[in-house]
Amino acid sequence: MITRRIQDVEPICADEGTEIKQIYDPQNTQNGIRYSIAQSTLQPGKKSKQHKMKTSEVYFVLEGKGVLHIDDESILVEEHQSIFVPPFSLQYLENTGTKELKVLCIVDPAWRKDNEVLL
């Protein structure tokens, strides 16, 4: 069994503009999973850079509110909401609230730098 506390995971600054805490991925589970789970944090008034992923993603909003832009659609997102993002979709996230926007990101297959294209 592997357990992790989010406060013990070191954050990294992602290329698309958010702070990421990689919780689980194939490397830290001895290839026990093929997907990755990370917490992404976006500060109030900020937005991530437009990007595309070669893989699918599911976002689950933990805290805050904002707008998720996927291709030609925009959707208001808030706590406890989940959104499926198809592979190769142009996407970015915008924090329209007054507190941090925290999103759980599940990427399948697992996130890799070469699967993400910044625009």
mmCIF file of all heavy atoms in Angstrom, residues 58-63 78-83 102-106:
data_model
loop_
_atom_site.group_PDB
_atom_site.id
_atom_site.type_symbol
_atom_site.label_atom_id
_atom_site.label_comp_id
_atom_site.label_asym_id
_atom_site.label_seq_id
_atom_site.Cartn_x
_atom_site.Cartn_y
_atom_site.Cartn_z
ATOM 1 N N VAL A 58 -9.417 14.147 -16.813
ATOM 2 C CA VAL A 58 -10.613 14.438 -16.043
ATOM 3 C C VAL A 58 -10.202 15.435 -14.978
ATOM 4 O O VAL A 58 -9.204 15.229 -14.272
ATOM 5 C CB VAL A 58 -11.208 13.171 -15.389
ATOM 6 C CG1 VAL A 58 -12.346 13.536 -14.442
ATOM 7 C CG2 VAL A 58 -11.693 12.199 -16.448
ATOM 8 N N TYR A 59 -10.924 16.545 -14.908
ATOM 9 C CA TYR A 59 -10.709 17.545 -13.871
ATOM 10 C C TYR A 59 -11.798 17.382 -12.824
ATOM 11 O O TYR A 59 -12.973 17.224 -13.170
ATOM 12 C CB TYR A 59 -10.827 18.964 -14.428
ATOM 13 C CG TYR A 59 -9.705 19.442 -15.311
ATOM 14 C CD1 TYR A 59 -9.831 20.632 -16.001
ATOM 15 C CD2 TYR A 59 -8.524 18.738 -15.466
ATOM 16 C CE1 TYR A 59 -8.820 21.114 -16.821
ATOM 17 C CE2 TYR A 59 -7.502 19.208 -16.281
ATOM 18 C CZ TYR A 59 -7.664 20.391 -16.943
ATOM 19 O OH TYR A 59 -6.662 20.865 -17.752
ATOM 20 N N PHE A 60 -11.410 17.430 -11.558
ATOM 21 C CA PHE A 60 -12.376 17.468 -10.468
ATOM 22 C C PHE A 60 -12.032 18.686 -9.622
ATOM 23 O O PHE A 60 -10.926 18.778 -9.090
ATOM 24 C CB PHE A 60 -12.327 16.191 -9.615
ATOM 25 C CG PHE A 60 -13.351 16.203 -8.522
ATOM 26 C CD1 PHE A 60 -14.662 15.842 -8.789
ATOM 27 C CD2 PHE A 60 -13.022 16.605 -7.236
ATOM 28 C CE1 PHE A 60 -15.629 15.876 -7.791
ATOM 29 C CE2 PHE A 60 -13.968 16.643 -6.233
ATOM 30 C CZ PHE A 60 -15.282 16.275 -6.515
ATOM 31 N N VAL A 61 -12.961 19.632 -9.525
ATOM 32 C CA VAL A 61 -12.706 20.882 -8.821
ATOM 33 C C VAL A 61 -12.823 20.642 -7.313
ATOM 34 O O VAL A 61 -13.890 20.270 -6.818
ATOM 35 C CB VAL A 61 -13.671 21.993 -9.275
ATOM 36 C CG1 VAL A 61 -13.349 23.302 -8.554
ATOM 37 C CG2 VAL A 61 -13.602 22.183 -10.787
ATOM 38 N N LEU A 62 -11.717 20.848 -6.615
ATOM 39 C CA LEU A 62 -11.674 20.675 -5.170
ATOM 40 C C LEU A 62 -12.101 21.939 -4.430
ATOM 41 O O LEU A 62 -12.841 21.870 -3.452
ATOM 42 C CB LEU A 62 -10.258 20.293 -4.721
ATOM 43 C CG LEU A 62 -9.703 18.996 -5.291
ATOM 44 C CD1 LEU A 62 -8.215 18.889 -4.999
ATOM 45 C CD2 LEU A 62 -10.455 17.808 -4.712
ATOM 46 N N GLU A 63 -11.607 23.089 -4.893
ATOM 47 C CA GLU A 63 -11.889 24.374 -4.254
ATOM 48 C C GLU A 63 -11.910 25.468 -5.310
ATOM 49 O O GLU A 63 -11.200 25.393 -6.297
ATOM 50 C CB GLU A 63 -10.791 24.738 -3.235
ATOM 51 C CG GLU A 63 -10.660 23.817 -2.066
ATOM 52 C CD GLU A 63 -9.509 24.227 -1.144
ATOM 53 O OE1 GLU A 63 -9.068 25.393 -1.175
ATOM 54 O OE2 GLU A 63 -9.038 23.348 -0.402
ATOM 55 N N GLU A 78 -16.985 24.874 -10.627
ATOM 56 C CA GLU A 78 -16.986 25.182 -9.205
ATOM 57 C C GLU A 78 -16.746 23.912 -8.410
ATOM 58 O O GLU A 78 -16.705 22.820 -8.982
ATOM 59 C CB GLU A 78 -18.305 25.840 -8.803
ATOM 60 C CG GLU A 78 -19.524 24.997 -9.098
ATOM 61 C CD GLU A 78 -20.822 25.737 -8.870
ATOM 62 O OE1 GLU A 78 -20.810 26.930 -8.561
ATOM 63 O OE2 GLU A 78 -21.877 25.086 -8.997
ATOM 64 N N GLU A 79 -16.613 24.073 -7.107
ATOM 65 C CA GLU A 79 -16.302 22.959 -6.228
ATOM 66 C C GLU A 79 -17.212 21.757 -6.472
ATOM 67 O O GLU A 79 -18.407 21.911 -6.713
ATOM 68 C CB GLU A 79 -16.421 23.401 -4.766
ATOM 69 C CG GLU A 79 -15.369 24.410 -4.381
ATOM 70 C CD GLU A 79 -15.498 24.891 -2.950
ATOM 71 O OE1 GLU A 79 -16.210 24.266 -2.135
ATOM 72 O OE2 GLU A 79 -14.872 25.915 -2.635
ATOM 73 N N HIS A 80 -16.599 20.587 -6.445
ATOM 74 C CA HIS A 80 -17.260 19.287 -6.564
ATOM 75 C C HIS A 80 -17.779 18.977 -7.961
ATOM 76 O O HIS A 80 -18.582 18.078 -8.133
ATOM 77 C CB HIS A 80 -18.380 19.144 -5.519
ATOM 78 C CG HIS A 80 -17.900 19.420 -4.139
ATOM 79 N ND1 HIS A 80 -18.551 20.278 -3.305
ATOM 80 C CD2 HIS A 80 -16.802 19.001 -3.459
ATOM 81 C CE1 HIS A 80 -17.894 20.370 -2.156
ATOM 82 N NE2 HIS A 80 -16.829 19.598 -2.234
ATOM 83 N N GLN A 81 -17.300 19.694 -8.959
ATOM 84 C CA GLN A 81 -17.700 19.454 -10.337
ATOM 85 C C GLN A 81 -16.590 18.697 -11.051
ATOM 86 O O GLN A 81 -15.400 18.927 -10.803
ATOM 87 C CB GLN A 81 -17.960 20.784 -11.041
ATOM 88 C CG GLN A 81 -18.491 20.663 -12.441
ATOM 89 C CD GLN A 81 -18.831 22.026 -13.017
ATOM 90 O OE1 GLN A 81 -18.579 23.054 -12.418
ATOM 91 N NE2 GLN A 81 -19.396 22.027 -14.203
ATOM 92 N N SER A 82 -16.966 17.786 -11.944
ATOM 93 C CA SER A 82 -15.970 17.068 -12.742
ATOM 94 C C SER A 82 -16.217 17.337 -14.219
ATOM 95 O O SER A 82 -17.351 17.558 -14.641
ATOM 96 C CB SER A 82 -16.026 15.560 -12.455
ATOM 97 O OG SER A 82 -17.292 15.042 -12.772
ATOM 98 N N ILE A 83 -15.130 17.343 -14.972
ATOM 99 C CA ILE A 83 -15.187 17.646 -16.400
ATOM 100 C C ILE A 83 -14.240 16.697 -17.129
ATOM 101 O O ILE A 83 -13.078 16.548 -16.751
ATOM 102 C CB ILE A 83 -14.747 19.108 -16.700
ATOM 103 C CG1 ILE A 83 -15.524 20.111 -15.860
ATOM 104 C CG2 ILE A 83 -14.903 19.415 -18.183
ATOM 105 C CD1 ILE A 83 -14.806 20.535 -14.612
ATOM 106 N N LYS A 102 -8.354 25.015 -6.964
ATOM 107 C CA LYS A 102 -7.626 23.756 -6.847
ATOM 108 C C LYS A 102 -8.403 22.673 -7.573
ATOM 109 O O LYS A 102 -9.580 22.466 -7.310
ATOM 110 C CB LYS A 102 -7.424 23.373 -5.382
ATOM 111 C CG LYS A 102 -6.488 24.313 -4.662
ATOM 112 C CD LYS A 102 -6.195 23.851 -3.267
ATOM 113 C CE LYS A 102 -5.219 24.822 -2.599
ATOM 114 N NZ LYS A 102 -4.881 24.375 -1.251
ATOM 115 N N VAL A 103 -7.699 22.012 -8.485
ATOM 116 C CA VAL A 103 -8.320 21.013 -9.346
ATOM 117 C C VAL A 103 -7.511 19.724 -9.273
ATOM 118 O O VAL A 103 -6.283 19.753 -9.355
ATOM 119 C CB VAL A 103 -8.371 21.520 -10.805
ATOM 120 C CG1 VAL A 103 -8.981 20.500 -11.722
ATOM 121 C CG2 VAL A 103 -9.121 22.835 -10.896
ATOM 122 N N LEU A 104 -8.198 18.611 -9.117
ATOM 123 C CA LEU A 104 -7.562 17.311 -9.212
ATOM 124 C C LEU A 104 -7.562 16.923 -10.685
ATOM 125 O O LEU A 104 -8.616 16.973 -11.334
ATOM 126 C CB LEU A 104 -8.344 16.292 -8.384
ATOM 127 C CG LEU A 104 -7.666 14.966 -8.101
ATOM 128 C CD1 LEU A 104 -6.399 15.173 -7.280
ATOM 129 C CD2 LEU A 104 -8.624 14.046 -7.374
ATOM 130 N N CYS A 105 -6.404 16.578 -11.226
ATOM 131 C CA CYS A 105 -6.267 16.226 -12.648
ATOM 132 C C CYS A 105 -5.902 14.749 -12.757
ATOM 133 O O CYS A 105 -4.879 14.320 -12.211
ATOM 134 C CB CYS A 105 -5.170 17.047 -13.305
ATOM 135 S SG CYS A 105 -5.418 18.819 -13.189
ATOM 136 N N ILE A 106 -6.734 14.012 -13.450
ATOM 137 C CA ILE A 106 -6.473 12.596 -13.696
ATOM 138 C C ILE A 106 -6.195 12.456 -15.193
ATOM 139 O O ILE A 106 -7.031 12.814 -16.023
ATOM 140 C CB ILE A 106 -7.669 11.726 -13.283
ATOM 141 C CG1 ILE A 106 -7.995 11.984 -11.806
ATOM 142 C CG2 ILE A 106 -7.390 10.251 -13.543
ATOM 143 C CD1 ILE A 106 -9.365 11.552 -11.387
#
